[in-house]
Amino acid sequence: MNISTSMRRATAPLALTAAVLLTASACGGSDAGSGGDGDELSGTIKVDGSSTVAPLSTAAAQLFQQQNSGVKVTVGTSGTGGGFEKFCAGETDISDASRAIEDDEKAACDKKGIKFEEFQVANDGLSVVVSKDNDWAECLTVAQLKKIWEPGSKVNNWNQIDPKFPSQKLELFGAGTDSGTFDYFTEAINGEEGKSRTDYSPSEDDNVTVQGVSGSKGGMGYFGLSYYEENKDKLKVLKVDGGDGCVAPDKKTVQDGSYKPLSRPLFIYPKASSLDKKEVTAFVEFYVENNADIASKAQFVPLNSEQEAELKKDLQTLKEQHKS
C-alpha cells in the first residue's frame, strides 16, 4: 500500500446518522477511538488540499471528534496543488486531493524526506452548471465544451456554442490553477492538463463559483458533484455527451463510468511520519473504514465493490504497519 504508485480505485456510498456510525464503530468497525474512552486520544491533526474533498474530510472529522473529543482536526482548502505544496514542506499531516499526486509533487516530497500513503475514499463527477434562468441549454458535447474552454477561445456568447441558443453573453467561472478540479477538467476536456482559456473568473473556493454562476443568466461553471447537490436550488446541471449520448452526473453514472469523461476518484494522502502518532492513525483508520457513511453524509458518490475491496486491503496493511 505504498502510495507513490499509480491511482487507486474508489468507493463511497453513505447516509448513516452519527449515532448509527458510532454504534458500528463501537461494535468493531474501526479501531479509531474504540477503546471505550474517547478522551484517550489527544492532539491536533492538520488536513489541507482539495476544496472538493474538504466537505468529505470535514464530515469525517466531525464524526471522529464525536468519539474522540481530545483530538482537534482542522481542514484547509488550498486546492490540490497548494495542499501538496504544504504537505511536501512538512506542514500538514494529511493532504486532500481530487487527483492523484503527480511526479513533480512526489519529487518535492522525496526531497524533504516526506513519505506517504494513498487512499481512494470516494468518487466524484465534475459537474457543468448554469444559471436557473438558463432555459435553452440541457446538454453539451465534449467538443462544445472544448470550444468554450480551450486556450485562446473567443467564445463569449451562447449563440456561438449553438446557433439555436439565444444571443446571451457567456460568463465563465471555474477552478483556480492550484485546484485538482482545474487539472482534471482541462485534461478531460481540452486534452492537456493545465491548458485553458484564461479570461474567466477563477477561484479555489467552489462557493465563489456557485455565487458567480447563479448570479448571471448566461453564466457557466464547473466543480464537484457535491457542490451542485448542495446548491440545486440555485443552479441547473447540464448533461454531457462524451460520445454515447447525453448523460447527467449522479451516483449511478459516476460509479459505472457512463458519465464521461468527467468522472474521477478522490484521495487522501496521510504522511508516514504522522501515522506514527496514534491520533492520526486512528483518524485515518476511522475515515477509511467508515468511508461509505462519511461519503453519504457529505453527498459524495461511494466506492464501487471493487474499489471497496481494494480500500479494505489497504486499511489492513496500514493496521499491520502501525500496530501499537
Side-chain angles (χ1 to χ4, degrees), residues 27-41:
C27 291
S30 169
D31 292 335
S34 58
D37 181 359
D39 291 328
E40 286 183 0
L41 293 174

Side-chain angles (χ1 to χ4, degrees), residues 135-242:
D135 59 2
W136 58 87
E138 300 296 331
C139 175
L140 294 178
T141 65
V142 171
Q144 286 174 319
L145 286 170
K146 182 178 181 181
K147 181 180 179 181
I148 296 165
W149 287 98
E150 65 186 346
S153 172
K154 300 301 181 184
V155 174
N156 58 18
N157 193 295
W158 278 90
N159 63 14
Q160 293 174 275
I161 302 170
D162 186 325
K164 296 177 184 176
F165 292 160
S167 177
Q168 173 67 51
K169 182 181 178 182
L170 175 68
E171 293 188 79
L172 296 174
F173 305 84
T177 56
D178 272 343
S179 170
T181 297
F182 174 80
D183 294 338
Y184 198 91
F185 184 85
T186 52
E187 181 170 7
I189 299 302
N190 295 334
E192 187 174 352
E193 183 181 304
K195 297 299 182 182
S196 171
R197 67 187 295 172
T198 57
D199 57 338
Y200 72 100
S201 298
S203 178
E204 312 298 343
D205 184 349
D206 293 330
N207 292 304
V208 173
T209 300
V210 171
Q211 293 169 7
V213 175
S214 63
S216 170
K217 184 175 182 179
M220 174 191 291
Y222 62 89
F223 43 51
L225 179 59
S226 67
Y227 279 91
Y228 166 68
E229 295 289 347
E230 290 175 6
N231 294 279
K232 281 183 176 180
D233 58 327
K234 303 175 186 174
L235 300 168
K236 170 181 167 181
V237 70
L238 297 183
K239 297 177 182 178
V240 174
D241 185 348

